[in-house]
Amino acid sequence: MGYQGHFRVWRGSDEGGGLEDFTVEVNEGEVVLDVIHRLQATQTPDLAVRWNCKAGKCGSCSAEINGKPRLLCMTRMSVFAEDETVTVTPMRTFPVIRDLVTDVSYNYKKAREIPAFKPPAGVAPGEYRMQQVDVERSQEFRKCIECFLCNNTCHVIRDHEENKESFAGPRFLMRVAELEMHPLDEADRVQEAQSQHGLGLCNITKCCTEVCPEHIKITDNALIPMKERVADRRYDPIVWLGNKLFRNKS
Amino acid sequence: MRAQIAQRTLRTDRWWLPPLATFAGLLLISIYAAVRTFMGDYYWVDEYRYLTPMYSPCLTEECLPNAAHFGRLLPELPGFLTPPVIIIPFLLGFRVTCYYYRKAYYRAAWMSPPACAVAEPHGKYTGETRFPLIAQNLHRYFFYAASLLLLINIYDAVFAFSTGIGLGNIVLLVNVGLLGAYTLSCHSCRHIAGGRLKHFSKHPVRYWTWTQISKLNAKHMQLAWASLIFVCVTDLYVALVASGTIADLRFVN
């Protein structure tokens, strides 16, 4: 049932590298990560690949397979023809450490820039009470496994390194949306989404949604609702006037 | 330092096909709409009271008297201008600032990016942070204007039943159905209906409305194309009947 598959794997480090060709045994039911492991075991013991759960839940084995950002462990070999060359490269948006392993610390830096959940004053952990309908929008975003494929595929930073400073990426704009929609969060996150986290840079081309292995509707349910909330606050003169009058009265 | 990969993309599928098809589709429809707009004729079938949605409402002095359902309120337009130039900025504005069409033309026309994980050709990128693209935030106002025009289209479709029932009536009815579904499925509509709320539990009616609009919103792309194409089909049908090229198929009367 097995066959000899053709693989082209990027090998190298931050000093340089390139694609190398390999012929590896592929068996029925395997995923790309299985083949990468066989490559390690039989031909390239020093091939670096980050992986953990092999079940699409840890978000470690993010890479690009035939140019598409995907999880190595969730890409079945059966989707490729037996004579097809499967090209495996590291994520392009982040600095490479070695072979298929990239330095994703950009994401951790962006995570730290988002102010934490802010519950109402006087309500201690354990005393939070909320309705299911109020919290379920935020719960969709909690499915995120932090594979960072969305940030990797987002052209705002993938094609423009200079935007990394001002753009949190879809993953962390979704985190802002998660907190903004949380029924007990009291922080004002709308202005910051635009001014601090770069929401205005997003042009909603939906690649983040396309590559999400958890099928979170990042664009429709997080980014566009945040853009609409920003429009409420910044670009809607009627809302602005209402707020102005309300403030004057008070 | 990123991995050094010279190729613009390593994708092996036909990633260029969807943007190419989108570009061709939008271009064809734009050409058709422009031709019909500046034709200034064959927009009204007096016998069956069919008015093409492209000329509705017809508000200027050069409108045929019976086609001007709300009166000829505006003076004659100068030069080559025709009645639709009054309403087209609103309809075009609604489509151009629509969250789906933005994705479509950013990818297909501006190649920013042409497809996922395919490098865009531009050296600099500021997204929707500056003029003119910051004006995309005005989508909700175009939504309001398009909703008003939709009500007028519904009036036109209902008004046309006053002479009986023909294929043209069905076409006009399907047209307003698709336009209505597209307008209701708009992301701004979803936000206004309930998306902007923090506590759904305190607003059960708005929550229910939001859930229904969310179901439609999931089909926004399909509705955008279906309604756009069918507006052209409707206009073409009215034009063919109005010019005497084909006869309307009558069911009643």
Side-chain angles (χ1 to χ4, degrees):
Chain A
M1 296 297 253
Y3 67 93
Q4 295 296 308
H6 305 291
F7 272 70
R8 190 170 288 157
V9 181
W10 195 90
R11 301 216 57 201
S13 67
D14 61 348
E15 290 172 356
L19 293 165
E20 291 182 18
D21 288 295
F22 300 96
T23 301
V24 204
E25 184 186 329
V26 178
N27 296 311
E28 190 177 357
E30 287 185 332
V31 293
V32 173
L33 184 59
D34 293 323
V35 183
I36 293 292
H37 281 159
R38 182 166 298 118
L39 196 59
Q40 261 185 338
T42 59
Q43 300 178 46
T44 57
D46 60 342
L47 174 68
V49 57
R50 185 185 282 134
W51 64 282
N52 209 316
C53 74
K54 291 184 82 175
K57 288 295 162 197
C58 73
S60 301
C61 63
S62 303
E64 300 191 9
I65 303 167
N66 282 355
K68 286 187 177 176
R70 308 184 70 154
L71 295 178
L72 293 172
C73 74
M74 295 303 284
T75 307
R76 290 181 175 277
M77 282 306 299
S78 58
V79 303
F80 305 109
E82 290 191 5
D83 59 352
E84 188 176 348
T85 300
V86 179
T87 306
V88 186
T89 53
M91 289 191 283
R92 281 209 196 196
T93 303
F94 310 120
V96 68
I97 296 174
R98 187 186 159 95
D99 301 336
L100 300 176
V101 177
T102 51
D103 174 4
V104 292
S105 55
Y106 157 83
N107 299 285
Y108 305 131
K109 178 173 176 280
K110 292 296 166 186
R112 285 193 295 270
E113 288 173 5
I114 297 168
F117 172 65
K118 187 182 173 194
V123 180
E127 294 174 352
Y128 300 160
R129 298 290 178 268
M130 58 199 105
Q131 299 284 320
Q132 178 58 33
V133 292
D134 292 338
V135 83
E136 62 194 6
R137 270 194 298 183
S138 292
Q139 282 177 334
E140 181 193 3
F141 309 140
R142 301 289 293 185
K143 290 195 299 179
C144 176
I145 57 171
E146 301 218 310
C147 62
F148 305 126
L149 286 176
C150 56
N151 279 4
N152 170 55
T153 200
C154 181
H155 71 115
V156 176
I157 47 177
R158 185 183 177 96
D159 297 339
H160 304 279
E161 179 75 23
E162 70 279 8
N163 285 336
K164 277 188 176 171
E165 192 60 36
S166 53
F167 188 62
R171 196 277 164 260
F172 296 104
L173 287 169
M174 181 173 81
R175 170 71 176 153
V176 175
E178 176 196 325
L179 291 165
E180 166 62 23
M181 293 176 190
H182 194 288
L184 288 185
D185 186 75
E186 293 209 325
D188 179 5
R189 304 189 181 266
V190 175
Q191 292 284 14
E192 284 196 352
Q194 190 83 343
S195 59
Q196 305 294 314
H197 308 303
L199 182 63
L201 286 166
C202 167
N203 70 345
I204 49 150
T205 36
K206 284 199 170 179
C207 287
C208 49
T209 304
E210 274 186 34
V211 300
C212 178
E214 283 292 313
H215 308 294
I216 302 170
K217 303 288 182 207
I218 303 171
T219 318
D220 283 329
N221 289 348
L223 304 184
I224 294 175
M226 282 309 293
K227 275 184 174 265
E228 284 294 311
R229 285 172 190 230
V230 170
D232 275 348
R233 192 75 63 87
R234 285 196 169 198
Y235 308 111
D236 193 330
I238 297 170
V239 173
W240 174 82
L241 189 65
N243 287 341
K244 208 80 175 160
L245 293 171
F246 180 74
R247 269 207 297 272
N248 284 346
K249 276 182 189 171
S250 61
Chain B
M1 179 92 156
R2 299 183 185 200
Q4 289 171 12
I5 301 168
Q7 292 91 330
R8 184 180 171 208
T9 182
L10 290 168
R11 280 181 67 165
T12 51
D13 58 335
R14 287 184 293 177
W15 59 263
W16 44 269
L17 191 57
L20 186 65
T22 304
F23 184 79
L26 292 176
L27 185 67
L28 276 176
I29 287 171
S30 304
I31 292 170
Y32 177 83
V35 168
R36 282 293 291 145
T37 296
F38 293 106
M39 189 180 276
D41 206 353
Y42 308 129
Y43 55 88
W44 169 249
V45 180
D46 203 44
E47 191 180 357
Y48 307 125
R49 297 180 180 174
Y50 296 157
L51 176 63
T52 168
M54 284 190 187
Y55 281 70
S56 175
C58 207
L59 297 171
T60 58
E61 197 58 42
E62 56 264 72
C63 292
L64 295 169
N66 289 343
H69 293 159
F70 303 95
R72 293 185 285 186
L73 307 173
L74 301 171
E76 193 168 330
L77 294 163
F80 60 91
L81 298 178
T82 53
V85 300
I86 307 290
I87 53 163
I88 274 183
F90 301 104
L91 293 176
L92 201 61
F94 184 46
R95 299 256 174 186
V96 166
T97 61
C98 161
Y99 286 98
Y100 163 67
Y101 284 106
R102 274 146 77 176
K103 171 199 162 189
Y105 64 75
Y106 283 144
R107 283 195 187 192
W110 193 242
M111 294 194 285
S112 178
C116 302
V118 179
E120 61 178 60
H122 311 290
K124 202 165 177 250
Y125 176 85
T126 54
E128 298 180 341
T129 58
R130 296 182 185 176
F131 184 81
L133 293 181
I134 200 165
Q136 304 281 28
N137 289 297
L138 299 176
H139 185 50
R140 59 185 58 186
Y141 296 103
F142 289 113
F143 162 72
Y144 297 139
S147 301
L148 275 178
L149 292 171
L150 173 69
L151 291 176
I152 294 170
N153 288 157
I154 292 170
Y155 172 82
D156 296 337
V158 172
F159 181 68
F161 278 102
S162 58
T163 60
I165 302 173
L167 183 58
N169 292 97
I170 309 298
V171 170
L172 288 176
L173 208 58
V174 172
N175 178 55
V176 292
L178 286 171
L179 282 177
Y182 168 64
T183 309
L184 272 178
S185 68
C186 159
H187 290 85
S188 284
C189 176
R190 185 183 182 219
H191 174 76
I192 293 159
R196 68 197 304 274
L197 299 172
K198 190 138 183 157
H199 298 276
F200 282 147
S201 57
K202 292 179 184 166
H203 305 269
V205 176
R206 289 183 73 182
Y207 174 57
W208 181 86
T209 313
W210 178 83
T211 55
Q212 301 310 310
I213 290 175
S214 296
K215 286 177 196 166
L216 269 181
N217 180 258
K219 302 278 177 209
H220 198 48
M221 177 184 82
Q222 291 88 333
L223 289 168
W225 278 106
S227 61
L228 187 66
I229 292 168
F230 209 80
V231 163
C232 296
V233 169
T234 308
D235 176 76
L236 183 64
Y237 186 84
V238 172
L240 289 173
V241 175
S243 62
T245 311
I246 60 169
D248 185 36
L249 180 65
R250 304 299 293 173
F251 307 124
V252 177
N253 178 26

